[in-house]
Amino acid sequence: MAARYSHLNSIPSGRNVRIIQDRRVLSDAYVPETLPGRDEQILMFEEHLEPLLFNEPPSHMAFTGMAGTGKTAVAKHVLRHKSEELRGAPVRFIYINCSQANTSYRVMYQLNRAFGILVPPSGYPYDVLEDNFRKAFLEADVRMFLVLDEVDLLVRRDGGRLLYSLTRMNYDLDLRRNSVTVLGISNTLNFLDRLDRRVLSSYNPDRIFFQPYSADELYNILLQRARLGLRPGSWEDAALRRIAAKVAREGGDARRAIDLLRMAATLAERDRSGKLTEDHVEQAEIRVDESEVQVAIRTLPFHHLLVLKAAVDLLLAGDPRPGTGKIYERYERYARRFLVSPLTMRRVSAILRELESQGIIEIEMSYGGARGNTKVVRGTALPPLRLKEILNEVTRV
DNA sequence: TATCCACCGGAAGATGGGGTAT
DNA sequence: ATACCCCATCTTCCGGTGGATA
């Protein structure tokens, strides 16, 4: 039996060209045993959870920091250890990511499920779900520690309604037995400032700030992943250093560093040289950008495509910084050509912002006085010509 | 100094498409 | 069949914005 698959191990010229040993380690979803560069935050978080050991309610918390600074990793890492330490104690840890559950209803739906209640995922009165949850929570007779990851996405929609009613519950509970504690994780630094007074007075979290990773910290992260996921001796140190330096310059996003490492390792494996070098990193930089933008564009709704097409065509026609007005004019023509009625300028203006937040275009405000305050497309993630090619592929269907 | 330009972006409401309950 | 409910997307409305211009 084994012999049948022996060709999998036979490598030409006896050299080992495999590089990746465990691909899972090279994904940002993987949470390693230690988190380089985040000792301070881990310690602070653990201290905040200390009261649970004495059956007392911890205070609410907020993690803030740019994308890829380890907020989610620290939360998961610490919670994993704490829930073992507190095994058997009347404590319930719940993690909910608000990028999927971005309305009060959907978070409440998840909370119902967490307490074993099955309710329809939509079409049901919200009040019923809230009542369900309250009853089940009291029934369970526990302290709840709820992590709301990417909570800013939820707050943007519901205005803090859920945050308020959850934290407000503590005022009606017997805190000697039950409590609700919320940890909100947010990518936007000012999300607390945007909360309503009433919400803030009952949520009022202790904050832990996550600064961007330095080049050294990124290097340590990459080294850790390489040791865990790559074949020993299959990478050049300079390759890791190069990723670390580049990503640190761009803003210290560990997710991006890990993406680059995975892509570089994949490319290195593909060319069968058996070693991951700086050259592979250089190729990976282009590939990662390209594939991210391609995926983003492919999933764009139709009107977004038309708006993007209008902007790209203006750039190609020689306008270095096309503004909303011109883009809208051209977009209108395209819409009619495709026999759909054009959206309003208000909406197109918002679509430009959405294209920006997807990293497809770069926008800058232009305070042009008599010519108006306008958004201006300053640049694109890929060369305009390349974008046009991708757009043509997508709109052909 | 007042006014204007040309768009910004928040708020609220309409619309239509998904669902559940009776 | 009817009466609800949730939700994403879009429109309508409207008070800013800040240099240019009168």
Side-chain angles (χ1 to χ4, degrees):
Chain A
M1 197 48 146
R4 263 172 94 177
Y5 299 103
S6 63
H7 66 280
L8 289 177
N9 297 319
S10 71
I11 274 86
S13 78
R15 226 165 83 239
N16 195 348
V17 295
R18 281 218 52 140
I19 289 185
I20 298 172
Q21 280 187 333
D22 188 349
R23 189 167 273 277
R24 286 172 313 156
V25 172
L26 305 180
S27 125
D28 64 21
Y30 175 82
V31 182
E33 271 307 305
T34 62
L35 301 174
R38 295 291 98 135
D39 299 336
E40 192 186 324
Q41 284 82 1
I42 289 174
L43 202 66
M44 283 170 76
F45 187 24
E46 281 175 344
E47 277 172 12
H48 271 93
L49 292 176
E50 205 84 329
L52 287 175
L53 296 173
F54 311 110
N55 197 17
E56 285 167 17
S59 48
H60 300 301
M61 308 191 60
F63 286 3
T64 55
M66 307 298 306
T69 50
K71 301 181 294 296
T72 303
V74 165
K76 286 189 168 169
H77 172 87
V78 171
L79 254 40
R80 194 161 69 197
H81 286 103
K82 279 290 165 195
S83 56
E84 279 185 24
E85 196 179 338
L86 288 163
R87 190 183 300 280
V91 177
R92 183 83 60 94
F93 293 107
I94 299 171
Y95 172 92
I96 294 175
N97 189 317
C98 301
S99 69
Q100 282 110 59
N102 57 8
T103 64
S104 303
Y105 185 93
R106 284 204 268 263
V107 173
M108 204 44 92
Y109 167 77
Q110 296 287 351
L111 285 174
N112 273 252
R113 291 191 57 155
F115 283 89
I117 308 164
L118 279 180
V119 285
S122 77
Y124 219 66
Y126 174 76
D127 300 3
V128 177
L129 267 66
E130 201 171 311
D131 284 352
N132 281 349
F133 163 70
R134 287 191 138 86
K135 285 199 191 103
F137 171 69
L138 285 174
E139 183 102 357
D141 197 23
V142 291
R143 297 193 186 282
M144 180 172 91
F145 190 93
L146 174 63
V147 182
L148 293 177
D149 205 346
E150 309 200 47
V151 67
D152 45 316
L153 298 179
L154 169 68
V155 170
R156 190 191 304 172
R157 279 241 208 330
D158 86 338
R161 165 183 173 187
L162 183 103
L163 220 43
Y164 180 76
S165 56
L166 281 179
T167 52
R168 184 72 218 177
M169 278 174 67
N170 284 323
Y171 293 77
D172 305 325
L173 293 172
D174 178 0
L175 290 178
R176 286 170 303 179
R177 299 188 63 87
N178 314 123
S179 57
V180 175
T181 305
V182 175
L183 161 60
I185 302 181
S186 154
N187 281 329
T188 59
L189 302 179
N190 62 348
F191 118 91
L192 285 176
D193 308 335
R194 297 166 57 152
L195 283 177
D196 192 47
R197 287 221 158 285
R198 284 172 358 117
V199 181
L200 208 53
S201 75
S202 73
Y203 174 46
N204 193 28
D206 293 336
R207 307 176 64 154
I208 297 184
F209 179 67
F210 289 67
Q211 71 277 28
Y213 286 109
S214 69
D216 280 342
E217 289 166 342
L218 286 169
Y219 171 75
N220 287 328
I221 290 170
L222 291 168
L223 187 59
Q224 177 189 46
R225 300 287 172 129
R227 283 179 174 153
L228 290 169
L230 305 184
R231 179 174 55 78
S234 69
W235 70 87
E236 280 180 1
D237 195 55
L240 303 191
R241 293 266 178 215
R242 165 151 185 175
I243 298 175
K246 180 178 163 55
V247 173
R249 239 179 294 123
E250 287 173 357
D253 178 347
R255 187 166 308 159
R256 179 159 170 79
I258 292 167
D259 281 348
L260 280 170
L261 177 63
R262 186 181 56 251
M263 178 61 82
T266 305
L267 292 173
E269 199 161 270
R270 205 171 289 167
D271 84 3
R272 307 188 73 72
S273 64
K275 195 110 180 170
L276 193 171
T277 67
E278 279 192 82
D279 285 348
H280 297 122
V281 172
E282 199 171 332
Q283 296 169 46
E285 285 165 10
I286 301 165
R287 287 294 199 89
V288 165
D289 291 345
E290 171 105 16
S291 71
E292 270 171 10
V293 172
Q294 260 196 49
V295 168
I297 291 181
R298 267 181 225 292
T299 57
L300 240 35
F302 188 61
H303 284 280
H304 287 61
L305 291 172
L306 293 185
V307 172
L308 179 59
K309 181 171 161 56
V312 167
D313 284 348
L314 280 166
L315 284 168
L316 287 172
D319 188 339
R321 299 156 60 82
T324 307
K326 280 191 177 177
I327 293 174
Y328 185 69
E329 252 178 53
R330 194 170 270 246
Y331 154 80
E332 257 187 315
R333 291 214 306 272
Y334 290 165
R336 292 194 213 291
R337 190 187 304 166
F338 280 98
L339 302 175
V340 296
S341 48
L343 304 173
T344 57
M345 188 189 274
R346 175 74 190 84
R347 179 64 189 131
V348 168
S349 175
I351 286 175
L352 283 170
R353 276 268 175 255
E354 288 165 29
L355 292 174
E356 180 196 36
S357 73
Q358 295 223 36
I360 298 170
I361 61 176
E362 273 177 70
I363 281 176
E364 189 180 88
M365 292 306 292
S366 147
Y367 304 105
R371 281 183 294 104
N373 300 344
T374 297
K375 286 198 280 280
V376 161
V377 175
R378 180 182 52 182
T380 48
L382 301 177
L385 254 179
R386 183 74 193 101
L387 282 184
K388 193 170 174 67
E389 285 170 22
I390 298 174
L391 276 172
N392 285 339
E393 273 173 47
V394 176
T395 46
R396 192 147 296 152
V397 192

